[in-house]
Amino acid sequence: NSMTYEELEKPEIIDRSRAKRIAYGAGVSIEEVRELIKQYEIMKKFLKNIRRKDLLKKLGLSIPIDQLE
């Protein structure tokens, strides 16, 4: 495994040198590592909004979609 446990838990700490090490260990390009991290962050944000929306629904509240972040 080319990622440390800390990097797996907090991908935002991955800088260029860490991305280079991860890419080398995984046999992919640095750009692919960066793209995967970017996609992970987008999905994380999306799932957070889904959970928030579900919680609001359970509480009987509503909030405009454009106010969810």
Side-chain angles (χ1 to χ4, degrees), residues 30-40:
I30 296 172
E31 291 77 24
E32 288 176 290
V33 171
R34 285 280 172 211
E35 184 62 29
L36 180 63
I37 293 168
K38 183 178 173 182
Q39 289 173 3
Y40 170 79

Side-chain angles (χ1 to χ4, degrees), residues 15-49:
D15 59 11
R16 186 147 185 80
S17 65
R18 288 179 185 229
K20 184 177 178 182
R21 188 198 71 240
I22 293 165
Y24 179 77
V28 297
S29 69
I30 296 172
E31 291 77 24
E32 288 176 290
V33 171
R34 285 280 172 211
E35 184 62 29
L36 180 63
I37 293 168
K38 183 178 173 182
Q39 289 173 3
Y40 170 79
E41 292 297 331
I42 291 168
M43 193 55 121
K44 182 178 174 182
K45 193 175 195 180
F46 173 75
L47 292 174
K48 183 178 179 182
N49 284 336

Side-chain angles (χ1 to χ4, degrees), residues 50-63:
I50 294 292
R51 286 192 301 265
R52 185 182 304 162
K53 191 174 176 183
D54 287 344
L55 176 62
L56 290 172
K57 192 183 294 184
K58 286 179 185 178
L59 295 174
L61 303 172
S62 64
I63 188 167

